[in-house]
Structure formats: structure tokens, C-alpha cells
Coordinates of all heavy atoms in Angstrom, one line a residue:
D862 N -27.2 8.1 -12.5 CA -27.3 7.8 -13.9 C -26.1 7.1 -14.5 O -25.9 7.0 -15.7 CB -27.5 9.2 -14.7 CG -26.4 10.2 -14.3 OD1 -25.7 10.0 -13.3 OD2 -26.3 11.2 -15.1
V863 N -25.3 6.5 -13.7 CA -24.3 5.5 -14.1 C -24.5 4.2 -13.4 O -24.9 4.1 -12.2 CB -22.9 6.0 -14.0 CG1 -22.6 7.2 -14.9 CG2 -22.6 6.5 -12.5
N864 N -24.2 3.1 -14.1 CA -24.3 1.7 -13.5 C -23.0 1.2 -13.1 O -21.9 1.8 -13.3 CB -25.1 0.8 -14.5 CG -24.3 0.6 -15.8 OD1 -23.1 0.6 -15.8 ND2 -25.1 0.4 -16.9
Q865 N -23.0 0.0 -12.6 CA -21.8 -0.6 -12.0 C -20.7 -0.8 -13.1 O -19.5 -0.5 -12.9 CB -22.1 -2.0 -11.4 CG -20.9 -2.7 -10.8 CD -21.3 -4.1 -10.2 OE1 -22.2 -4.7 -10.8 NE2 -20.6 -4.6 -9.2
S866 N -21.0 -1.3 -14.3 CA -20.0 -1.5 -15.3 C -19.4 -0.1 -15.8 O -18.2 0.0 -16.1 CB -20.6 -2.3 -16.5 OG -21.7 -1.6 -17.1
Q867 N -20.3 0.9 -15.8 CA -19.8 2.2 -16.2 C -18.8 2.8 -15.2 O -17.8 3.4 -15.6 CB -20.9 3.2 -16.5 CG -21.8 2.8 -17.7 CD -23.0 3.7 -17.8 OE1 -23.8 3.8 -16.8 NE2 -23.3 4.2 -19.0
V868 N -19.1 2.6 -14.0 CA -18.3 3.1 -12.9 C -16.9 2.3 -12.9 O -15.8 3.0 -12.8 CB -18.9 2.9 -11.5 CG1 -17.9 3.2 -10.4 CG2 -20.2 3.8 -11.4
K869 N -17.0 1.1 -13.2 CA -15.7 0.3 -13.4 C -14.8 0.9 -14.4 O -13.6 1.0 -14.2 CB -16.1 -1.2 -13.7 CG -14.8 -2.1 -13.6 CD -15.2 -3.6 -13.7 CE -14.0 -4.5 -13.6 NZ -14.4 -5.9 -13.6
E870 N -15.3 1.3 -15.5 CA -14.5 1.8 -16.6 C -14.0 3.3 -16.2 O -13.0 3.7 -16.7 CB -15.2 1.8 -17.9 CG -15.5 0.4 -18.4 CD -14.3 -0.5 -18.4 OE1 -13.3 -0.1 -18.9 OE2 -14.5 -1.6 -17.8
I871 N -14.8 4.0 -15.4 CA -14.4 5.3 -15.0 C -13.1 5.2 -14.1 O -12.2 6.0 -14.2 CB -15.5 6.0 -14.3 CG1 -16.6 6.4 -15.3 CG2 -15.0 7.3 -13.6 CD1 -17.9 7.0 -14.6
V872 N -13.1 4.2 -13.2 CA -12.1 4.1 -12.2 C -10.9 3.2 -12.7 O -9.8 3.3 -12.1 CB -12.6 3.6 -10.9 CG1 -13.7 4.4 -10.3 CG2 -13.0 2.1 -11.0
R873 N -11.1 2.4 -13.7 CA -10.0 1.6 -14.2 C -8.7 2.3 -14.4 O -7.6 1.8 -14.0 CB -10.4 0.8 -15.5 CG -9.4 -0.2 -15.9 CD -9.8 -0.8 -17.3 NE -11.1 -1.5 -17.2 CZ -11.2 -2.8 -16.8 NH1 -10.1 -3.5 -16.4 NH2 -12.4 -3.4 -16.7
P874 N -8.7 3.5 -15.1 CA -7.4 4.2 -15.4 C -6.6 4.5 -14.1 O -5.4 4.6 -14.1 CB -7.8 5.5 -16.1 CG -9.2 5.1 -16.7 CD -9.8 4.2 -15.7
Y875 N -7.4 4.7 -13.0 CA -6.7 5.1 -11.7 C -6.0 3.9 -11.1 O -4.9 4.0 -10.5 CB -7.7 5.7 -10.8 CG -8.2 7.0 -11.4 CD1 -9.4 7.0 -12.2 CD2 -7.4 8.2 -11.3 CE1 -9.8 8.1 -12.8 CE2 -7.9 9.3 -12.0 CZ -9.1 9.3 -12.7 OH -9.5 10.4 -13.3
L876 N -6.5 2.7 -11.3 CA -5.8 1.5 -11.0 C -4.5 1.4 -11.8 O -3.4 1.2 -11.3 CB -6.6 0.2 -11.2 CG -5.9 -1.1 -11.3 CD1 -5.3 -1.5 -10.0 CD2 -6.9 -2.2 -11.8
E877 N -4.6 1.6 -13.1 CA -3.5 1.5 -14.0 C -2.4 2.5 -13.8 O -1.2 2.3 -14.0 CB -4.0 1.4 -15.5 CG -4.9 0.2 -15.7 CD -5.6 0.3 -17.1 OE1 -5.6 1.4 -17.7 OE2 -6.2 -0.7 -17.5
K878 N -2.8 3.8 -13.4 CA -1.9 4.8 -13.2 C -1.2 4.7 -11.9 O -0.1 5.3 -11.7 CB -2.6 6.2 -13.3 CG -3.0 6.6 -14.7 CD -3.4 8.1 -14.7 CE -4.8 8.3 -14.1 NZ -5.3 9.7 -14.3
S879 N -1.8 4.0 -10.9 CA -1.3 4.0 -9.6 C -0.3 2.9 -9.3 O 0.6 3.0 -8.5 CB -2.5 3.9 -8.6 OG -3.3 5.0 -8.7
I880 N -0.4 1.8 -10.0 CA 0.4 0.6 -9.7 C 1.3 0.3 -10.9 O 0.8 0.2 -12.0 CB -0.6 -0.6 -9.4 CG1 -1.5 -0.3 -8.2 CG2 0.3 -1.9 -9.1 CD1 -2.5 -1.4 -7.9
P881 N 2.6 0.1 -10.7 CA 3.5 -0.2 -11.7 C 3.1 -1.4 -12.6 O 2.5 -2.4 -12.0 CB 4.8 -0.5 -11.0 CG 4.7 0.2 -9.7 CD 3.2 0.1 -9.3
K882 N 3.3 -1.3 -13.9 CA 2.9 -2.4 -14.8 C 3.4 -3.8 -14.4 O 2.7 -4.8 -14.5 CB 3.4 -2.1 -16.2 CG 2.6 -0.9 -16.9 CD 3.1 -0.7 -18.3 CE 2.3 0.4 -19.0 NZ 2.7 0.6 -20.3
E883 N 4.7 -3.8 -13.9 CA 5.2 -5.1 -13.6 C 4.5 -5.8 -12.5 O 4.5 -7.0 -12.4 CB 6.7 -5.0 -13.2 CG 7.1 -4.1 -12.1 CD 7.3 -2.7 -12.4 OE1 6.8 -2.2 -13.5 OE2 8.0 -2.0 -11.6
L884 N 3.9 -5.0 -11.6 CA 3.1 -5.6 -10.5 C 1.7 -6.0 -10.9 O 1.0 -6.7 -10.2 CB 3.0 -4.6 -9.3 CG 4.3 -4.3 -8.6 CD1 4.1 -3.3 -7.5 CD2 5.0 -5.6 -8.0
L885 N 1.3 -5.6 -12.1 CA 0.0 -5.9 -12.6 C 0.1 -7.0 -13.7 O -0.9 -7.4 -14.3 CB -0.7 -4.7 -13.2 CG -1.2 -3.6 -12.2 CD1 -1.7 -2.4 -13.0 CD2 -2.3 -4.2 -11.3
S886 N 1.3 -7.5 -13.9 CA 1.5 -8.6 -14.9 C 0.6 -9.8 -14.5 O 0.7 -10.4 -13.3 CB 2.9 -9.0 -14.9 OG 3.2 -10.1 -15.8
G887 N -0.2 -10.3 -15.4 CA -1.0 -11.4 -15.1 C -2.3 -11.1 -14.3 O -3.0 -12.0 -13.9
F888 N -2.5 -9.8 -14.0 CA -3.7 -9.4 -13.2 C -5.0 -9.7 -14.0 O -5.1 -9.4 -15.1 CB -3.6 -8.0 -12.8 CG -4.7 -7.5 -12.0 CD1 -4.8 -7.9 -10.7 CD2 -5.7 -6.6 -12.5 CE1 -5.9 -7.4 -9.8 CE2 -6.7 -6.1 -11.7 CZ -6.8 -6.6 -10.4
K889 N -5.9 -10.4 -13.3 CA -7.1 -10.8 -14.0 C -8.3 -9.8 -13.7 O -8.5 -9.4 -12.6 CB -7.5 -12.2 -13.5 CG -6.5 -13.3 -13.8 CD -6.9 -14.6 -13.2 CE -5.8 -15.7 -13.5 NZ -6.2 -17.0 -12.9
D890 N -9.0 -9.5 -14.8 CA -10.1 -8.6 -14.6 C -11.1 -9.0 -13.6 O -11.8 -8.2 -12.9 CB -10.8 -8.3 -15.9 CG -11.7 -7.1 -15.9 OD1 -11.2 -6.0 -15.6 OD2 -12.9 -7.3 -16.0
E891 N -11.3 -10.4 -13.5 CA -12.3 -10.9 -12.5 C -11.9 -10.6 -11.1 O -12.7 -10.8 -10.1 CB -12.6 -12.3 -12.7 CG -11.4 -13.3 -12.7 CD -10.9 -13.6 -14.1 OE1 -11.0 -12.7 -15.0 OE2 -10.5 -14.7 -14.3

């Protein structure tokens, strides 16, 4: 009952919590 875009938003915070902000500078959503 969840689609690909919904799953992406569920897991996005775990990317952001796991990797320091400075290493995500300029990171593209694509």
C-alpha cells in the first residue's frame, strides 16, 4: 500500500541522519 515515491520519503531522513551535512553538500536528488 505504498508506492516508490512514498518509500523514498520514508527513507530520506535516514540518509540525512547517517551522513554528515558537509559530505552531502551539493548532493542532487536525482
Side-chain angles (χ1 to χ4, degrees):
D862 53 344
V863 288
N864 60 34
Q865 183 184 26
S866 61
Q867 289 172 314
V868 172
K869 187 171 185 176
E870 294 314 308
I871 292 172
V872 302
R873 186 186 298 276
Y875 297 94
L876 162 65
E877 295 170 347
K878 285 190 287 188
S879 300
I880 301 175
K882 288 183 179 180
E883 60 269 22
L884 293 176
L885 290 173
S886 177
F888 183 70
K889 299 176 181 178
D890 192 65
E891 56 263 34

